Amino acid sequence: MTTATKRLTTSAMIASFADPGQRTTSAPFGHALAALAERDDRIVGLTADLGKYTDMHVFAQAHPTRFFQLGMAEQLLFGAAAGMAEVGLVPFASTYSVFAARRAYDFLCLDIAEPNLNVNIVGGLPGLTTGYGPSHQATEDVAIFRGMPNLTIVDPCDSVDIEQAVPQLAAAEGPTYLRLLRGKVPTVLDEYDYTFRLGKAAVLRDGADVVFVSSGLMTMRALQAAERLARHKVDVAVVHTPTIKPFDAGTVLAEVDSDRLVVTLENHTVVGGLFETVASAVVSRGLGKRVVPIALPDEFLAAGALPTLHERYGLATDTVVTKVLGELDR
Amino acid sequence: MTTTRAEKVRDAAYRMRHHILDMGEVQGQGYVGQALGVADLLAVTYVDQLRFRADDPHWPERDRFLLSTGHYAIALYAALAEAGTVPVTELETYGSDGSRLPMSGMASYTPGMEISGGSLGHGLTVAVGMALGLRLKGREQRVFNFLSDGELDEGSTWEAAMGAAHHQLGLLTAMVDMNALQADGPTENVLGIEPAEEKWEAAGWFTQRVDGNDIDALLAAFDAAAEQARPVGRPSVILCDTRIGRGVPLLETREKAHFMRIDEDEWQLCREQLSEGYEGAR
């Protein structure tokens, strides 16, 4: 009799990318928004039938009269958010990133970004954070949004980033897009001397051999890979750039402009995201510098269990370590 | 002798039609036909219904008028000139480089223009948000959204129609220009929308349909909408059947076109026909 190995399953729409035993914080976005609303009565929350799946339900429970359910109607969601901002409110409007970026683009662009309204777009399941397949995997959301004038794009790493970002997004004058991490979100950055500052990158650790430039959950993987690479006598610096646009080229290029191997890490297709943002900054500065991308491939991704997919498409810590050692001929 | 409401509106609509022809002549072409068609509707709105301050377009207590159809800006500029928000002398800059009066209406260019229209099917979604937001702030201000029958093709219009009814936005009024024409031809051939009243009623709206060039009928419909307007209640829609080129027989009888071409020597004739019709009706 043979023992069958149980295959991992997709399990749910929203899979956790936290490692077993990792410290997490529950629904950091929902709690941060609810807390902010206590001291700022302009804050309102909207969703398009995805309150429970974007942690907006936490805000809804805390401030029921300031929560608006728009139904499964993303064009209405963002048009209405614009209308609320027009009358002086500060809306946070949540749906999945795929629906914000692909389905409601025209409404974000013309009703929100063109008049430069303070509407904060909250997109769940950014990049590869669900095993559900291309319908829900927003692998190209940053590429879609980067061309939109006035829009600030934030790709937080963990619960610390999200908690600190929410008030700053509300305080920023124009529109923002937050690549939401929801549910039990890893808590990582409190172990570093770090504070989220909108529009700023931060050097989380120094290293003599390699520079990682990363955003989103890939900063967590970058930090893990840096630890692992130290065992191989490879000294890795990590620069976290949670704001993709406007991009803090000053901080990033100060690190890139060296003899070290430069690697970008992003939870997004290699087209139009962090890699190309860094590459264009490098070229614009006139630096003749090679940049190695770690990103999702330019293809529609498979369905499956998230750990399997992160391994297959190169976002897992193991594959990052292997890739860097290969680049260094170790 | 006191001037009646209808007379005030009729006189304003007449002056607005002249403004529209004058602006059209600057460009040599444009959405003159549609604008002439909705002059009565906009005159009722701006002369009789809307609460606003002509010299303070950002007055916080104002009712909101959202022009969803950006290409109808020529008609709204005429209304804003009639209201006194835009100087009549400025109308001759319409569509010219550096003008505050671009071909397609944009909020950042023109005082009194609440939103940037142009991409159709947006206005009603923004109006829903404004109505929700004003109600949350405890304000009893009305929100009017002007849209066209062509915009009823857009799914987003119906997302907003359902949303407004669900949230009982009783201070929201939509006015639809049913001119039966869109870019590629007659509406019934492009994407049939009839029976339009049944669709709005089914969506939960207080629905009226009137001759959009009959000022008495328009006033009665707007009064009925105002009568039942309250913070929590049914939103209201007035479907207005209008005639392209209304007031200028030369244009009323011309083959209907979305973008009407008018020859250089015809503008004066148009003005004369407009004046004759107005004098004849007095």
Side-chain angles (χ1 to χ4, degrees):
Chain A
M1 194 179 119
T2 56
T3 308
T5 308
K6 189 176 184 315
R7 293 185 185 182
L8 293 176
T9 60
T10 306
S11 74
M13 172 71 73
I14 300 179
S16 175
F17 57 87
D19 297 326
Q22 187 174 25
R23 270 193 311 133
T24 60
T25 301
S26 181
F29 165 70
H31 289 291
L33 189 63
L36 177 63
E38 293 291 339
R39 56 184 194 272
D40 185 345
D41 62 9
R42 302 169 307 154
I43 302 292
V44 289
L46 297 75
T47 195
D49 197 24
L50 286 172
K52 284 187 227 167
Y53 301 89
T54 56
D55 290 346
M56 185 62 85
H57 66 295
V58 176
F59 174 85
Q61 282 158 13
H63 303 281
T65 61
R66 292 156 71 180
F67 166 73
F68 299 91
Q69 173 62 265
L70 275 304
M72 203 192 306
E74 292 78 15
Q75 300 177 105
L76 173 61
L77 172 71
F78 292 110
M84 294 180 125
E86 293 273 11
V87 298
L89 299 170
V90 177
F92 281 72
S94 75
T95 179
Y96 286 153
S97 294
V98 282
F99 305 137
R102 296 174 184 161
R103 197 169 192 132
Y105 183 92
D106 196 36
F107 291 73
L108 295 183
C109 188
L110 293 172
D111 300 327
I112 294 171
E114 194 275 331
N116 202 28
L117 295 174
N118 187 350
V119 173
N120 302 285
I121 300 141
V122 181
L125 304 185
L128 179 54
T129 49
T130 175
Y132 214 68
S135 64
H136 287 65
Q137 292 162 341
T139 52
E140 83 292 25
D141 58 333
V142 174
I144 290 171
F145 280 138
R146 265 181 69 218
M148 190 186 291
N150 291 340
L151 183 68
T152 294
I153 301 172
V154 174
D155 190 19
C157 165
D158 72 342
S159 66
V160 175
D161 257 351
I162 291 172
E163 287 162 0
Q164 296 181 3
V166 165
Q168 295 183 43
L169 298 175
E173 203 173 294
T176 67
Y177 169 60
L178 177 69
R179 297 186 95 206
L180 178 72
L181 306 172
R182 53 76 64 198
K184 291 194 187 312
V185 176
T187 302
V188 175
L189 293 176
D190 59 351
E191 293 171 21
Y192 297 82
D193 179 20
Y194 170 80
T195 305
F196 175 88
R197 289 165 62 208
L198 189 61
K200 296 293 176 196
V203 180
L204 297 179
R205 56 177 281 164
D206 291 319
D209 304 316
V210 178
V211 179
F212 281 170
V213 179
S214 61
S215 69
L217 70 88
M218 287 310 289
T219 291
M220 181 178 93
R221 297 274 159 80
L223 291 166
Q224 290 167 342
E227 296 285 332
R228 298 266 292 279
L229 285 162
R231 290 180 224 154
H232 294 272
K233 307 279 187 250
V234 176
D235 196 12
V236 181
V238 176
V239 187
H240 177 44
T241 65
T243 308
I244 306 290
K245 190 186 177 188
F247 187 63
D248 183 4
T251 300
V252 172
L253 292 183
E255 295 298 313
V256 166
D257 190 9
S258 70
D259 293 333
R260 297 172 291 181
L261 173 69
V262 174
V263 180
T264 59
L265 302 93
E266 64 192 298
N267 170 32
H268 184 271
T269 165
V270 71
V271 176
L274 179 65
F275 166 65
E276 288 191 0
T277 302
V278 172
S280 69
V282 167
V283 172
S284 297
R285 185 67 68 85
L287 303 179
K289 181 73 192 174
R290 181 165 175 262
V291 178
V292 175
I294 289 177
L296 296 167
D298 177 23
E299 60 189 68
F300 291 106
L301 307 184
L306 208 50
T308 310
L309 297 177
H310 277 198
E311 192 85 28
R312 179 185 304 174
Y313 295 116
L315 299 192
T317 305
D318 282 352
T319 53
V320 171
V321 170
T322 304
K323 171 104 174 169
V324 171
L325 291 175
E327 286 289 337
L328 294 171
D329 276 335
R330 302 263 182 119
Chain B
M1 191 184 98
T2 55
T3 311
T4 66
R5 288 166 69 201
E7 283 166 349
K8 274 189 199 164
V9 169
R10 190 168 291 116
D11 291 350
Y14 168 68
R15 289 188 294 269
M16 284 165 55
R17 286 191 165 95
H18 269 294
H19 295 330
I20 289 162
L21 290 172
D22 292 347
M23 281 183 275
E25 190 174 14
V26 174
Q27 288 291 325
Q29 56 187 355
Y31 302 101
V32 171
Q34 293 93 328
L36 292 170
V38 300
D40 299 313
L41 179 48
L42 289 182
V44 168
T45 308
Y46 272 81
V47 173
D48 195 80
Q49 295 284 323
L50 201 65
R51 186 172 50 165
F52 69 107
R53 287 180 178 167
D55 57 352
D56 183 10
H58 297 290
W59 180 45
E61 301 298 315
R62 72 192 184 281
D63 291 337
R64 301 301 202 278
F65 178 85
L66 310 186
L67 183 72
S68 194
T69 49
H71 58 294
Y72 280 52
I74 184 172
L76 186 54
Y77 299 151
L80 292 171
E82 177 63 23
T85 303
V86 171
V88 172
T89 51
E90 194 173 337
L91 297 180
E92 65 182 32
T93 69
Y94 169 68
S96 304
D97 289 350
S99 173
R100 295 197 301 172
L101 311 177
M103 286 281 277
S104 187
M106 287 182 277
S108 54
Y109 282 64
T110 315
M113 187 72 73
E114 296 278 3
I115 60 166
S116 298
S119 181
L120 300 177
H122 284 234
L124 197 57
T125 69
V126 177
V128 165
M130 282 189 179
L132 279 170
L134 290 169
R135 186 170 68 186
L136 179 68
K137 296 175 93 167
R139 303 266 185 76
E140 291 207 9
Q141 287 152 272
R142 296 181 68 190
V143 178
F144 293 88
N145 177 220
F146 180 99
L147 62 165
S148 65
D149 51 358
E151 280 189 282
L152 305 186
D153 293 1
E154 295 283 1
S156 53
T157 297
W158 297 104
E159 290 185 12
M162 287 196 290
H166 176 82
H167 288 282
Q168 300 184 62
L169 300 177
L171 296 178
L172 174 61
T173 299
M175 51 186 90
V176 186
D177 175 25
M178 305 289 288
N179 65 15
L181 183 71
Q182 51 195 106
D184 265 349
T187 297
E188 62 178 343
N189 296 345
V190 176
L191 187 60
I193 193 62
E194 301 294 353
E197 300 103 293
E198 282 87 334
K199 289 186 172 72
W200 286 96
E201 277 164 13
W205 288 56
F206 172 59
T207 305
Q208 303 178 81
R209 186 161 190 165
V210 298
D211 179 341
N213 296 119
D214 178 337
I215 286 167
D216 293 320
L218 283 170
L219 283 170
F222 274 86
D223 286 349
E227 176 70 25
Q228 72 139 34
R230 49 187 56 84
V232 179
R234 272 206 298 175
S236 187
V237 61
I238 306 173
L239 303 169
C240 305
D241 292 296
T242 64
R243 283 182 287 293
I244 299 238
R246 172 71 175 180
V248 180
L250 176 73
L251 303 181
E252 285 185 33
T253 52
R254 178 160 289 186
E255 190 190 353
K256 301 285 177 272
H258 180 66
F259 205 67
M260 193 178 271
R261 179 80 213 178
I262 298 169
D263 291 334
E264 222 170 285
D265 59 354
E266 291 179 324
W267 292 99
Q268 187 53 33
L269 182 59
C270 289
R271 276 189 282 265
E272 286 165 14
Q273 288 192 348
L274 176 60
S275 298
E276 282 162 20
Y278 173 72
E279 296 298 338
R282 279 167 71 91

